[in-house]
Amino acid sequence: MKHSPTPWPKGEENIRKKWISITRLVSLDTSSTKSGWAVFEDGEYKDSGVINLDTSEHKKEYKNKSENRIQDMCLEILQVLQENKPEIIVIEKLNVGRNMNATRILAKIIGVVYCYSILNDCFYFEIQPSQWRSKLGMQSSKRGREEYKRLSIEYIKENIGKDVSDDEADSICAGIGYIKMFDKKEKK
């Protein structure tokens, strides 16, 4: 199956005509408390949101019950995937850090998405944040996490015209970055 995705920032709409369109791509920026998601259809941004299990109500519900929160996040992500029926799933790659508990939690969430892709015959791609940031002109060794968050929020405001949180911005940017990886003009 051929996939040729691309959401086109302002001024690049005509590039899309050179690609075989895809039906649907869902990109994800996952965590156990807030996970951003974005939907692209035929190479165009369509929708996005955040699954937020970090509200005061949720904090009370999940106090000393992190497994319940992880399970609920997995179920919420599955619901987004089932509602949008993607052909391609792009998810931020798990970076193994010092906190092994956080790594195990994220591995469970990413594993659920991977399993969905297998069961539903979706193309699955794990993207490094540095990959999509590079494609969007943000990557620099001199920048820290907070600056990257600010830059992704600004990118979405400037190119899509939507005010979003950093979780939602990163999910949209991951999708755009993935799509730009296949843009022939980008490779020149």
Side-chain angles (χ1 to χ4, degrees):
M1 177 163 39
K2 288 188 176 181
H3 297 288
S4 57
T6 201
W8 310 109
K10 292 178 183 173
E12 296 182 21
E13 296 84 8
N14 291 331
I15 298 170
R16 183 171 69 88
K17 295 175 184 170
K18 296 180 182 179
W19 291 87
I20 299 168
S21 64
I22 59 166
T23 302
R24 198 162 285 202
L25 177 149
V26 171
S27 54
L28 299 162
D29 175 35
T30 57
S31 84
S32 67
T33 55
K34 293 181 184 176
S35 291
W37 57 270
V39 178
F40 299 87
E41 194 172 279
D42 293 331
E44 300 288 336
Y45 167 80
K46 290 297 177 190
D47 195 15
S48 58
V50 174
I51 300 164
N52 186 355
L53 301 183
D54 198 33
T55 64
S56 57
E57 181 182 309
H58 284 111
K59 286 179 182 179
K60 288 178 192 173
E61 179 183 345
Y62 298 129
K63 188 175 182 177
N64 301 320
K65 298 176 186 172
S66 66
E67 277 303 314
N68 292 358
R69 186 184 72 241
I70 297 162
Q71 180 178 335
D72 286 352
M73 181 57 75
C74 290
L75 292 171
E76 291 289 329
I77 290 171
L78 283 172
Q79 183 175 344
V80 167
L81 294 171
Q82 288 168 341
E83 287 173 1
N84 290 289
K85 298 181 182 4
E87 287 183 331
I88 299 172
I89 299 172
V90 176
I91 189 167
E92 277 200 353
K93 193 170 198 166
L94 176 61
N95 289 318
V96 179
R98 292 184 203 166
N99 186 336
M100 287 310 295
N101 189 48
T103 300
R104 281 190 287 276
I105 289 169
L106 276 175
K108 288 178 182 179
I109 294 169
I110 291 170
V112 166
V113 174
Y114 180 65
C115 186
Y116 176 91
S117 73
I118 292 169
L119 293 173
N120 292 278
D121 194 29
C122 300
F123 181 77
Y124 175 85
F125 186 82
E126 291 184 5
I127 191 167
Q128 289 279 10
S130 60
Q131 284 178 291
W132 64 255
R133 288 179 187 138
S134 177
K135 289 296 178 185
L136 303 183
M138 297 178 199
Q139 188 62 33
S140 170
S141 60
K142 297 175 184 175
R143 293 190 171 127
R145 183 178 175 167
E146 293 305 313
E147 187 173 2
Y148 281 130
K149 287 181 180 185
R150 180 185 59 76
L151 287 171
S152 65
I153 290 168
E154 287 175 7
Y155 184 91
I156 298 310
K157 177 67 175 171
E158 291 171 12
N159 290 281
I160 294 182
K162 186 175 180 183
D163 289 313
V164 296
S165 69
D166 60 291
D167 302 293
E168 189 171 353
D170 283 355
S171 67
I172 300 168
C173 287
I176 294 171
Y178 170 81
I179 289 165
K180 283 181 160 273
M181 288 170 56
F182 301 96
D183 184 348
K184 292 177 183 173
K185 286 188 176 184
E186 292 287 320
K187 293 180 182 180
K188 289 183 179 178

PDB file of all heavy atoms in Angstrom, residues 8-11 136 138 150-164 173 176:
ATOM      1  N   TRP A   8      -0.245  20.876   4.328  1.00  0.00           N
ATOM      2  CA  TRP A   8       0.550  21.924   3.702  1.00  0.00           C
ATOM      3  C   TRP A   8       0.460  23.235   4.453  1.00  0.00           C
ATOM      4  O   TRP A   8      -0.612  23.828   4.540  1.00  0.00           O
ATOM      5  CB  TRP A   8       0.104  22.094   2.260  1.00  0.00           C
ATOM      6  CG  TRP A   8       0.070  20.758   1.613  1.00  0.00           C
ATOM      7  CD1 TRP A   8      -1.034  20.060   1.242  1.00  0.00           C
ATOM      8  CD2 TRP A   8       1.182  19.909   1.361  1.00  0.00           C
ATOM      9  NE1 TRP A   8      -0.668  18.844   0.745  1.00  0.00           N
ATOM     10  CE2 TRP A   8       0.683  18.720   0.812  1.00  0.00           C
ATOM     11  CE3 TRP A   8       2.542  20.030   1.539  1.00  0.00           C
ATOM     12  CZ2 TRP A   8       1.486  17.670   0.424  1.00  0.00           C
ATOM     13  CZ3 TRP A   8       3.346  18.983   1.152  1.00  0.00           C
ATOM     14  CH2 TRP A   8       2.817  17.831   0.603  1.00  0.00           C
ATOM     15  N   PRO A   9       1.596  23.696   4.991  1.00  0.00           N
ATOM     16  CA  PRO A   9       1.613  25.024   5.594  1.00  0.00           C
ATOM     17  C   PRO A   9       1.263  26.072   4.550  1.00  0.00           C
ATOM     18  O   PRO A   9       1.329  25.815   3.348  1.00  0.00           O
ATOM     19  CB  PRO A   9       3.055  25.180   6.084  1.00  0.00           C
ATOM     20  CG  PRO A   9       3.540  23.785   6.243  1.00  0.00           C
ATOM     21  CD  PRO A   9       2.847  22.992   5.161  1.00  0.00           C
ATOM     22  N   LYS A  10       0.931  27.254   5.011  1.00  0.00           N
ATOM     23  CA  LYS A  10       0.523  28.339   4.125  1.00  0.00           C
ATOM     24  C   LYS A  10       1.491  28.497   2.959  1.00  0.00           C
ATOM     25  O   LYS A  10       2.693  28.467   3.135  1.00  0.00           O
ATOM     26  CB  LYS A  10       0.438  29.642   4.912  1.00  0.00           C
ATOM     27  CG  LYS A  10      -0.687  29.647   5.913  1.00  0.00           C
ATOM     28  CD  LYS A  10      -0.706  30.935   6.692  1.00  0.00           C
ATOM     29  CE  LYS A  10      -1.802  30.881   7.736  1.00  0.00           C
ATOM     30  NZ  LYS A  10      -1.765  32.027   8.619  1.00  0.00           N
ATOM     31  N   GLY A  11       0.933  28.653   1.771  1.00  0.00           N
ATOM     32  CA  GLY A  11       1.737  28.884   0.587  1.00  0.00           C
ATOM     33  C   GLY A  11       2.223  27.630  -0.118  1.00  0.00           C
ATOM     34  O   GLY A  11       2.826  27.714  -1.168  1.00  0.00           O
ATOM     35  N   LEU A 136      10.376  20.873  10.649  1.00  0.00           N
ATOM     36  CA  LEU A 136       9.640  22.121  10.850  1.00  0.00           C
ATOM     37  C   LEU A 136      10.568  23.294  11.183  1.00  0.00           C
ATOM     38  O   LEU A 136      10.106  24.388  11.504  1.00  0.00           O
ATOM     39  CB  LEU A 136       8.585  21.953  11.956  1.00  0.00           C
ATOM     40  CG  LEU A 136       7.582  20.827  11.723  1.00  0.00           C
ATOM     41  CD1 LEU A 136       6.553  20.791  12.837  1.00  0.00           C
ATOM     42  CD2 LEU A 136       6.901  20.947  10.373  1.00  0.00           C
ATOM     43  N   MET A 138      12.747  23.645  13.702  1.00  0.00           N
ATOM     44  CA  MET A 138      12.846  23.959  15.128  1.00  0.00           C
ATOM     45  C   MET A 138      14.062  23.354  15.817  1.00  0.00           C
ATOM     46  O   MET A 138      14.430  23.791  16.892  1.00  0.00           O
ATOM     47  CB  MET A 138      11.611  23.428  15.871  1.00  0.00           C
ATOM     48  CG  MET A 138      10.319  24.020  15.493  1.00  0.00           C
ATOM     49  SD  MET A 138       9.027  23.195  16.469  1.00  0.00           S
ATOM     50  CE  MET A 138       7.599  23.581  15.500  1.00  0.00           C
ATOM     51  N   ARG A 150       7.062  25.896  23.430  1.00  0.00           N
ATOM     52  CA  ARG A 150       6.621  27.214  22.964  1.00  0.00           C
ATOM     53  C   ARG A 150       6.655  27.276  21.440  1.00  0.00           C
ATOM     54  O   ARG A 150       5.717  27.762  20.805  1.00  0.00           O
ATOM     55  CB  ARG A 150       7.513  28.305  23.567  1.00  0.00           C
ATOM     56  CG  ARG A 150       7.137  29.720  23.145  1.00  0.00           C
ATOM     57  CD  ARG A 150       8.118  30.757  23.677  1.00  0.00           C
ATOM     58  NE  ARG A 150       9.493  30.556  23.256  1.00  0.00           N
ATOM     59  CZ  ARG A 150       9.961  30.833  22.030  1.00  0.00           C
ATOM     60  NH1 ARG A 150       9.164  31.301  21.104  1.00  0.00           N
ATOM     61  NH2 ARG A 150      11.233  30.637  21.738  1.00  0.00           N
ATOM     62  N   LEU A 151       7.734  26.757  20.834  1.00  0.00           N
ATOM     63  CA  LEU A 151       7.865  26.802  19.381  1.00  0.00           C
ATOM     64  C   LEU A 151       6.795  25.973  18.673  1.00  0.00           C
ATOM     65  O   LEU A 151       6.275  26.383  17.627  1.00  0.00           O
ATOM     66  CB  LEU A 151       9.256  26.318  18.959  1.00  0.00           C
ATOM     67  CG  LEU A 151      10.409  27.269  19.248  1.00  0.00           C
ATOM     68  CD1 LEU A 151      11.748  26.583  18.996  1.00  0.00           C
ATOM     69  CD2 LEU A 151      10.284  28.545  18.426  1.00  0.00           C
ATOM     70  N   SER A 152       6.456  24.808  19.220  1.00  0.00           N
ATOM     71  CA  SER A 152       5.429  23.985  18.563  1.00  0.00           C
ATOM     72  C   SER A 152       4.059  24.657  18.666  1.00  0.00           C
ATOM     73  O   SER A 152       3.286  24.640  17.703  1.00  0.00           O
ATOM     74  CB  SER A 152       5.406  22.558  19.114  1.00  0.00           C
ATOM     75  OG  SER A 152       5.026  22.514  20.452  1.00  0.00           O
ATOM     76  N   ILE A 153       3.777  25.282  19.801  1.00  0.00           N
ATOM     77  CA  ILE A 153       2.516  26.020  19.960  1.00  0.00           C
ATOM     78  C   ILE A 153       2.453  27.174  18.952  1.00  0.00           C
ATOM     79  O   ILE A 153       1.436  27.382  18.285  1.00  0.00           O
ATOM     80  CB  ILE A 153       2.364  26.533  21.407  1.00  0.00           C
ATOM     81  CG1 ILE A 153       2.122  25.357  22.357  1.00  0.00           C
ATOM     82  CG2 ILE A 153       1.237  27.556  21.511  1.00  0.00           C
ATOM     83  CD1 ILE A 153       2.246  25.703  23.839  1.00  0.00           C
ATOM     84  N   GLU A 154       3.560  27.915  18.815  1.00  0.00           N
ATOM     85  CA  GLU A 154       3.620  29.039  17.870  1.00  0.00           C
ATOM     86  C   GLU A 154       3.470  28.549  16.427  1.00  0.00           C
ATOM     87  O   GLU A 154       2.798  29.197  15.624  1.00  0.00           O
ATOM     88  CB  GLU A 154       4.936  29.799  18.016  1.00  0.00           C
ATOM     89  CG  GLU A 154       5.008  30.636  19.259  1.00  0.00           C
ATOM     90  CD  GLU A 154       6.374  31.293  19.458  1.00  0.00           C
ATOM     91  OE1 GLU A 154       7.244  31.207  18.555  1.00  0.00           O
ATOM     92  OE2 GLU A 154       6.562  31.906  20.530  1.00  0.00           O
ATOM     93  N   TYR A 155       4.099  27.422  16.099  1.00  0.00           N
ATOM     94  CA  TYR A 155       4.022  26.882  14.738  1.00  0.00           C
ATOM     95  C   TYR A 155       2.564  26.594  14.371  1.00  0.00           C
ATOM     96  O   TYR A 155       2.120  26.915  13.262  1.00  0.00           O
ATOM     97  CB  TYR A 155       4.870  25.617  14.616  1.00  0.00           C
ATOM     98  CG  TYR A 155       4.901  25.072  13.212  1.00  0.00           C
ATOM     99  CD1 TYR A 155       5.891  25.458  12.314  1.00  0.00           C
ATOM    100  CD2 TYR A 155       3.935  24.174  12.768  1.00  0.00           C
ATOM    101  CE1 TYR A 155       5.916  24.967  11.017  1.00  0.00           C
ATOM    102  CE2 TYR A 155       3.949  23.675  11.481  1.00  0.00           C
ATOM    103  CZ  TYR A 155       4.943  24.081  10.612  1.00  0.00           C
ATOM    104  OH  TYR A 155       4.944  23.590   9.322  1.00  0.00           O
ATOM    105  N   ILE A 156       1.841  25.985  15.281  1.00  0.00           N
ATOM    106  CA  ILE A 156       0.441  25.641  15.005  1.00  0.00           C
ATOM    107  C   ILE A 156      -0.402  26.901  14.898  1.00  0.00           C
ATOM    108  O   ILE A 156      -1.259  27.011  14.016  1.00  0.00           O
ATOM    109  CB  ILE A 156      -0.113  24.675  16.087  1.00  0.00           C
ATOM    110  CG1 ILE A 156       0.674  23.360  16.081  1.00  0.00           C
ATOM    111  CG2 ILE A 156      -1.607  24.421  15.891  1.00  0.00           C
ATOM    112  CD1 ILE A 156       0.829  22.704  14.721  1.00  0.00           C
ATOM    113  N   LYS A 157      -0.164  27.871  15.751  1.00  0.00           N
ATOM    114  CA  LYS A 157      -0.899  29.142  15.688  1.00  0.00           C
ATOM    115  C   LYS A 157      -0.662  29.820  14.337  1.00  0.00           C
ATOM    116  O   LYS A 157      -1.595  30.280  13.686  1.00  0.00           O
ATOM    117  CB  LYS A 157      -0.456  30.056  16.843  1.00  0.00           C
ATOM    118  CG  LYS A 157      -1.102  31.415  16.836  1.00  0.00           C
ATOM    119  CD  LYS A 157      -2.568  31.344  17.114  1.00  0.00           C
ATOM    120  CE  LYS A 157      -3.145  32.738  17.225  1.00  0.00           C
ATOM    121  NZ  LYS A 157      -4.587  32.720  17.285  1.00  0.00           N
ATOM    122  N   GLU A 158       0.588  29.854  13.885  1.00  0.00           N
ATOM    123  CA  GLU A 158       0.943  30.527  12.633  1.00  0.00           C
ATOM    124  C   GLU A 158       0.483  29.775  11.395  1.00  0.00           C
ATOM    125  O   GLU A 158       0.093  30.397  10.405  1.00  0.00           O
ATOM    126  CB  GLU A 158       2.455  30.740  12.561  1.00  0.00           C
ATOM    127  CG  GLU A 158       2.972  31.747  13.548  1.00  0.00           C
ATOM    128  CD  GLU A 158       4.496  31.799  13.624  1.00  0.00           C
ATOM    129  OE1 GLU A 158       5.169  31.203  12.745  1.00  0.00           O
ATOM    130  OE2 GLU A 158       5.005  32.422  14.576  1.00  0.00           O
ATOM    131  N   ASN A 159       0.541  28.448  11.409  1.00  0.00           N
ATOM    132  CA  ASN A 159       0.267  27.666  10.206  1.00  0.00           C
ATOM    133  C   ASN A 159      -1.134  27.080  10.126  1.00  0.00           C
ATOM    134  O   ASN A 159      -1.612  26.786   9.028  1.00  0.00           O
ATOM    135  CB  ASN A 159       1.307  26.542  10.060  1.00  0.00           C
ATOM    136  CG  ASN A 159       2.664  27.101   9.716  1.00  0.00           C
ATOM    137  OD1 ASN A 159       2.922  27.447   8.574  1.00  0.00           O
ATOM    138  ND2 ASN A 159       3.528  27.230  10.709  1.00  0.00           N
ATOM    139  N   ILE A 160      -1.762  26.886  11.261  1.00  0.00           N
ATOM    140  CA  ILE A 160      -3.107  26.310  11.259  1.00  0.00           C
ATOM    141  C   ILE A 160      -4.129  27.300  11.815  1.00  0.00           C
ATOM    142  O   ILE A 160      -5.308  27.196  11.554  1.00  0.00           O
ATOM    143  CB  ILE A 160      -3.116  24.961  12.024  1.00  0.00           C
ATOM    144  CG1 ILE A 160      -2.277  23.955  11.244  1.00  0.00           C
ATOM    145  CG2 ILE A 160      -4.523  24.433  12.245  1.00  0.00           C
ATOM    146  CD1 ILE A 160      -2.206  22.589  11.812  1.00  0.00           C
ATOM    147  N   GLY A 161      -3.646  28.275  12.572  1.00  0.00           N
ATOM    148  CA  GLY A 161      -4.537  29.293  13.117  1.00  0.00           C
ATOM    149  C   GLY A 161      -5.325  28.832  14.324  1.00  0.00           C
ATOM    150  O   GLY A 161      -6.424  29.314  14.582  1.00  0.00           O
ATOM    151  N   LYS A 162      -4.748  27.918  15.080  1.00  0.00           N
ATOM    152  CA  LYS A 162      -5.452  27.359  16.233  1.00  0.00           C
ATOM    153  C   LYS A 162      -4.598  27.520  17.484  1.00  0.00           C
ATOM    154  O   LYS A 162      -3.399  27.254  17.464  1.00  0.00           O
ATOM    155  CB  LYS A 162      -5.735  25.872  15.978  1.00  0.00           C
ATOM    156  CG  LYS A 162      -6.586  25.203  17.027  1.00  0.00           C
ATOM    157  CD  LYS A 162      -6.933  23.771  16.638  1.00  0.00           C
ATOM    158  CE  LYS A 162      -7.799  23.138  17.728  1.00  0.00           C
ATOM    159  NZ  LYS A 162      -8.117  21.739  17.460  1.00  0.00           N
ATOM    160  N   ASP A 163      -5.209  27.983  18.564  1.00  0.00           N
ATOM    161  CA  ASP A 163      -4.537  28.055  19.861  1.00  0.00           C
ATOM    162  C   ASP A 163      -4.675  26.694  20.537  1.00  0.00           C
ATOM    163  O   ASP A 163      -5.794  26.219  20.737  1.00  0.00           O
ATOM    164  CB  ASP A 163      -5.172  29.131  20.756  1.00  0.00           C
ATOM    165  CG  ASP A 163      -4.870  30.532  20.262  1.00  0.00           C
ATOM    166  OD1 ASP A 163      -3.700  30.809  19.955  1.00  0.00           O
ATOM    167  OD2 ASP A 163      -5.812  31.349  20.189  1.00  0.00           O
ATOM    168  N   VAL A 164      -3.531  26.091  20.866  1.00  0.00           N
ATOM    169  CA  VAL A 164      -3.539  24.748  21.431  1.00  0.00           C
ATOM    170  C   VAL A 164      -2.545  24.649  22.587  1.00  0.00           C
ATOM    171  O   VAL A 164      -1.666  25.479  22.737  1.00  0.00           O
ATOM    172  CB  VAL A 164      -3.182  23.681  20.362  1.00  0.00           C
ATOM    173  CG1 VAL A 164      -4.225  23.626  19.265  1.00  0.00           C
ATOM    174  CG2 VAL A 164      -1.807  23.936  19.772  1.00  0.00           C
ATOM    175  N   CYS A 173       2.289  18.682  15.163  1.00  0.00           N
ATOM    176  CA  CYS A 173       3.627  18.845  14.575  1.00  0.00           C
ATOM    177  C   CYS A 173       4.241  17.503  14.187  1.00  0.00           C
ATOM    178  O   CYS A 173       4.918  17.402  13.150  1.00  0.00           O
ATOM    179  CB  CYS A 173       4.547  19.591  15.532  1.00  0.00           C
ATOM    180  SG  CYS A 173       4.188  21.358  15.677  1.00  0.00           S
ATOM    181  N   ILE A 176       2.657  16.587  10.882  1.00  0.00           N
ATOM    182  CA  ILE A 176       3.176  17.432   9.806  1.00  0.00           C
ATOM    183  C   ILE A 176       4.620  17.049   9.493  1.00  0.00           C
ATOM    184  O   ILE A 176       5.006  16.929   8.324  1.00  0.00           O
ATOM    185  CB  ILE A 176       3.073  18.923  10.174  1.00  0.00           C
ATOM    186  CG1 ILE A 176       1.604  19.344  10.271  1.00  0.00           C
ATOM    187  CG2 ILE A 176       3.819  19.786   9.151  1.00  0.00           C
ATOM    188  CD1 ILE A 176       1.390  20.745  10.846  1.00  0.00           C
TER     189      ILE A 176
END
